[in-house]
Amino acid sequence: MELQRHSVAILCVLSCFLTLGMSYPDPRQREEFIKMEASMRIGGNVSLSPEEQQLDAHLSKLMLEEMAREDFLPALHFFKARPLIRSSPIYGLLQKMPKGAALHVHDFAMVDVEWLVRNVTYRPHCYICYTDDRSVRFYFSSGLPKPLSNCSTWTLLEQLRAKTVNVTDLDDSLMSYMTLWTLEDPELAYPSLTVVWKRFEQAFKATWGLVTYAPVFKDYFHEGLLQFYRDNILYVEVRALLPETYELDGSTHDTEWTMKTYQDTARQFVEENPDFFGARVIFTVNREIYPALLTKEVQKAMKLQVDFPETMAGFDLVGQEDTGRPLWEYKEALSLPAAQGSNLSYFFHAGETDLQGTKSDQNMLDALLFNTSRIGHGFALLRHPVAKMLSKMNAVPLEVCPISNQVLKLVKDLRNHPAAALMSEGHPLVISSDDPSMFGASGLSDDFYEAFVGFGGLSNHLGTLKELAMNSIRYSSLPPNLQEKAMALWQRKWNKFVTENL
Ligand SMILES: *[C@@H]1O[C@H](CO)[C@@H](O)[C@H](O)[C@H]1NC(C)=O
Ligand SMILES: *[C@@H]1O[C@H](CO)[C@@H](O)[C@H](O)[C@H]1NC(C)=O
Ligand SMILES: *[C@@H]1O[C@H](CO)[C@@H](O)[C@H](O)[C@H]1NC(C)=O
Ligand SMILES: *[C@@H]1O[C@H](CO)[C@@H](O)[C@H](O)[C@H]1NC(C)=O
Ligand SMILES: *[C@@H]1O[C@H](CO)[C@@H](O)[C@H](O)[C@H]1NC(C)=O
Ligand SMILES: *[C@@H]1O[C@H](CO)[C@@H](O)[C@H](O)[C@H]1NC(C)=O
Ligand SMILES: [Zn+2]
């Protein structure tokens, strides 16, 4: 709608100039158009204080230098670009910047895999087996665990380490099973989308036995919050499978325990770090599940919403969209909450695809029909004008995860990411990191670098960053009164950041 108004204005202005016979092209008109485009961008209308303007001037100098590099970093694969990004002055600033909230991160891809290996696998009673398809599985147990099919016999890691000549090499190899990050040429290591998704799922399975061990489960989430907090993020919404967790004797805990553990851990973390705002959980189910079975999961979600109103944010389906079931196949189960007057909100992954016209390509429109509160990725949005219009009109933001989209092979050069266009027209969106441990990325700083430099270059400025950070709070699942508090906390951090970096 807005765009149409703009076009009418542009047409009128052009014809007026032509009929009046004024100089053409008119430099003042040129200025007007340039201003008009600048104001449409994300952050285009943000007014900056004198201090902010000073920092902005510094930032634009850094951006000029960044744009003058021969190796434009967002054009490179993140695995090659990371060391260069990390040494860029813009990255240094982004890391210190209060980025607001991380709204799209998955439960078991929050923490650097180095912590899993150096901390978790050194705990006693940790067993390992090697699978036939060159992965590993872990399990904590007081006695020898039951054999797994397609896996070697279980070995106590402590004993394996005692027999190993070079333990550093062993630990490095363990890490490599749990992440896609590699020093090899990523194009050779992951030649196709199918290969990279297979490796991605393998890495999750390798991590599984470590993170679902109850004592580790708590520590993992605590460590995850800590790593995000250190990256200057004040609030996290975690997509969580809420799996059964287990103890050394093989006994297990149910979903309620898992949810309560998230709640308790988040509260404890806020107690330890009062300038952190907290965390909420979006319950997720894999989109391979049979439609008839989803009903039970949605009912479970509605119950969690009632039992944990403070922590439960909503529901989502996860897994590779192209090979999973489309949302529409689940319409019966997904219609239940509205029919039953439940407060359950949806945060659907949708449009994480390059395959136009397929069933998965339909997911964004269906997510909007189900009143999704946000769209996870929405990578295909530019190819769906109606979905794009609805998303803008109803302020349903996209959760844009640049590094994830690049590593999972939807786009190579991040300047060609659809969010570059969406940012330039002020489409509602937030920046997130999806699975930072899988990609060797930090909390949000690496993704902010890619978005800030790659999606707009010199058109971006401090106002862009400010609005992106504010969007992450504005579009969070927090109720209005808590959003206001979170925004006030963020504003205090922001002001401090600005004065400290002049
Ligand atoms: C900024 O304001 C102009 C004029 O009111 C509006 O057309 C534009 O959409 C706004 N931009 C953003 C990013 O909100
Ligand atoms: C074990 O591997 C075989 C051959 O790859 C496969 O058919 C079978 O499903 C696997 N079993 C399990 C339990 O994963
Ligand atoms: C282990 O191997 C690495 C190279 O992979 C080497 O740098 C390191 O010195 C070795 N450590 C020992 C104790 O041999
Ligand atoms: C592992 O992490 C826990 C907390 O998450 C900490 O208490 C413990 O000291 C760490 N252990 C090692 C060996 O780093
Ligand atoms: C939905 O949320 C509102 C506001 O928090 C609450 O008053 C109401 O009881 C909730 N409804 C259900 C069905 O849980
Ligand atoms: C979506 O919201 C509309 C308007 O509030 C409502 O009529 C409809 O029932 C909702 N649909 C679902 C599936 O929740
Ligand atoms: Zn995701």
Side-chain angles (χ1 to χ4, degrees):
M1 310 298 133
E2 207 121 338
L3 289 180
Q4 269 164 15
R5 262 210 310 280
H6 276 303
S7 336
V8 170
I10 291 166
L11 279 180
C12 161
V13 169
L14 273 181
S15 58
C16 297
F17 272 110
L18 294 178
T19 48
L20 290 174
M22 295 176 86
S23 79
Y24 176 83
D26 178 16
R28 275 170 311 169
Q29 190 60 56
R30 183 170 178 269
E31 275 310 301
E32 277 303 305
F33 288 162
I34 290 172
K35 268 199 204 144
M36 197 186 280
E37 282 204 337
S39 82
M40 289 166 77
R41 291 193 66 72
I42 285 196
N45 294 333
V46 170
S47 56
L48 300 181
S49 70
E51 290 81 24
E52 286 173 330
Q53 284 171 25
Q54 209 180 321
L55 177 58
D56 185 46
H58 172 59
L59 192 58
S60 83
K61 250 191 269 154
L62 298 184
M63 185 66 95
L64 265 176
E65 286 162 21
E66 209 73 8
M67 302 289 287
R69 296 178 68 115
E70 238 166 76
D71 50 351
F72 188 71
L73 304 183
L76 300 180
H77 193 287
F78 176 66
F79 294 176
K80 290 183 182 159
R82 189 179 80 172
L84 304 167
I85 289 176
R86 297 276 171 96
S87 61
S88 137
I90 289 190
Y91 181 85
L93 208 57
L94 290 173
Q95 208 182 20
K96 284 186 274 180
M97 185 181 90
K99 289 170 281 294
L103 299 186
H104 186 137
V105 287
H106 290 271
D107 42 5
F108 301 135
M110 288 179 79
V111 178
D112 198 320
V113 292
E114 183 157 356
W115 182 83
L116 278 178
V117 171
R118 303 234 186 277
N119 183 303
V120 174
T121 69
Y122 276 86
R123 300 184 188 201
H125 310 291
C126 186
Y127 285 87
I128 183 172
C129 74
Y130 287 83
T131 69
D132 295 350
D133 52 0
R134 281 178 290 155
S135 182
V136 291
R137 300 289 181 269
F138 297 97
Y139 198 75
F140 285 91
S141 178
S142 43
L144 191 69
K146 273 188 295 203
L148 269 190
S149 54
N150 299 343
C151 213
S152 68
T153 54
W154 290 107
T155 312
L156 206 50
L157 207 41
E158 213 178 317
Q159 283 170 8
L160 184 62
R161 284 205 175 97
K163 286 188 299 195
T164 301
V165 179
N166 192 322
V167 174
T168 310
D169 280 351
L170 173 64
D171 286 353
D172 286 350
S173 83
L174 295 184
M175 270 182 240
S176 73
Y177 292 117
M178 293 189 273
T179 179
L180 291 175
W181 169 260
T182 172
L183 290 173
E184 285 170 58
D185 182 345
E187 300 296 335
L188 296 178
Y190 309 113
S192 72
L193 195 126
T194 311
V195 170
V196 77
W197 268 93
K198 173 122 177 63
R199 280 289 316 274
F200 187 56
E201 278 157 16
Q202 281 285 19
F204 266 107
K205 288 180 189 164
T207 310
W208 193 256
L210 295 177
V211 293
T212 55
Y213 175 43
V216 172
F217 183 85
K218 287 183 205 174
D219 291 352
Y220 186 93
F221 189 53
H222 191 276
E223 182 68 21
L225 294 180
L226 186 61
Q227 293 191 359
F228 276 75
Y229 174 66
R230 286 189 180 139
D231 198 42
N232 289 304
I233 289 143
L234 56 67
Y235 168 74
V236 175
E237 285 184 7
V238 60
R239 299 288 210 288
L241 292 160
L242 303 181
E244 216 173 53
T245 56
Y246 70 96
E247 299 282 355
L248 267 192
D249 61 3
S251 63
T252 59
H253 302 289
D254 61 6
T255 308
E256 297 269 309
W257 183 95
T258 311
M259 193 67 179
K260 183 152 188 322
T261 301
Y262 274 127
Q263 181 161 294
D264 293 347
T265 308
R267 281 180 186 164
Q268 188 198 331
F269 192 87
V270 171
E271 249 168 58
E272 293 161 6
N273 308 281
D275 64 330
F276 187 77
F277 198 75
R280 299 189 86 202
V281 166
I282 296 167
F283 173 40
T284 61
V285 171
N286 196 293
R287 57 192 343 134
E288 281 170 2
I289 191 173
Y290 286 112
L293 297 181
L294 193 72
T295 306
K296 229 181 88 191
E297 301 299 322
V298 171
Q299 280 163 344
K300 196 196 254 176
M302 289 192 281
K303 183 160 188 317
L304 289 168
Q305 187 67 60
V306 173
D307 294 346
F308 298 90
E310 180 193 326
T311 301
M312 176 75 174
F315 183 78
D316 184 16
L317 286 151
V318 298
Q320 189 181 0
E321 239 179 292
D322 287 330
T323 57
R325 287 175 202 274
L327 283 179
W328 198 245
E329 284 189 25
Y330 295 119
K331 67 174 182 304
E332 230 168 288
L334 296 178
S335 306
L336 284 178
Q340 299 184 3
S342 156
N343 283 336
L344 185 69
S345 302
Y346 289 137
F347 298 87
F348 289 125
H349 277 74
E352 190 184 9
T353 183
D354 259 338
L355 299 177
Q356 191 168 5
T358 57
K359 282 182 176 171
S360 53
D361 189 41
Q362 182 63 34
N363 280 340
M364 278 177 308
L365 265 172
D366 292 339
L368 288 159
L369 278 173
F370 286 118
N371 296 336
T372 194
S373 298
R374 299 194 297 262
I375 294 175
H377 297 291
F379 185 86
L381 193 73
L382 288 187
R383 298 188 277 259
H384 291 270
V386 175
K388 184 177 154 193
M389 186 188 70
L390 290 171
S391 152
K392 176 134 195 187
M393 235 167 46
N394 300 334
V396 177
L398 305 191
E399 301 159 349
V400 174
C401 305
I403 294 170
S404 169
N405 296 153
Q406 187 190 50
V407 173
L408 296 176
K409 295 185 100 74
L410 291 178
V411 59
K412 279 191 173 141
D413 181 335
L414 283 172
R415 287 172 294 191
N416 298 328
H417 192 289
L422 293 167
M423 275 182 61
S424 68
E425 55 187 80
H427 197 89
L429 58 84
V430 299
I431 303 299
S432 204
S433 52
D434 206 6
D435 304 285
S437 76
M438 290 284 168
F439 313 135
S442 59
L444 288 183
S445 291
D446 291 301
D447 283 281
F448 258 76
Y449 176 92
E450 302 282 18
F452 186 54
V453 179
F455 304 166
L458 275 171
S459 308
N460 287 335
H461 45 77
L462 192 66
T464 322
L465 294 172
K466 192 173 176 183
E467 181 148 15
L468 284 175
M470 290 166 82
N471 275 356
S472 72
I473 296 169
R474 187 180 296 146
Y475 294 126
S476 73
S477 71
L478 291 168
N481 60 326
L482 292 182
Q483 269 190 29
E484 223 170 277
K485 275 192 185 163
M487 197 67 96
L489 175 58
W490 172 81
Q491 185 73 55
R492 284 199 298 278
K493 286 170 178 279
W494 176 267
N495 294 345
K496 188 158 172 278
F497 160 74
V498 171
T499 41
E500 280 175 1
N501 287 283
L502 287 179

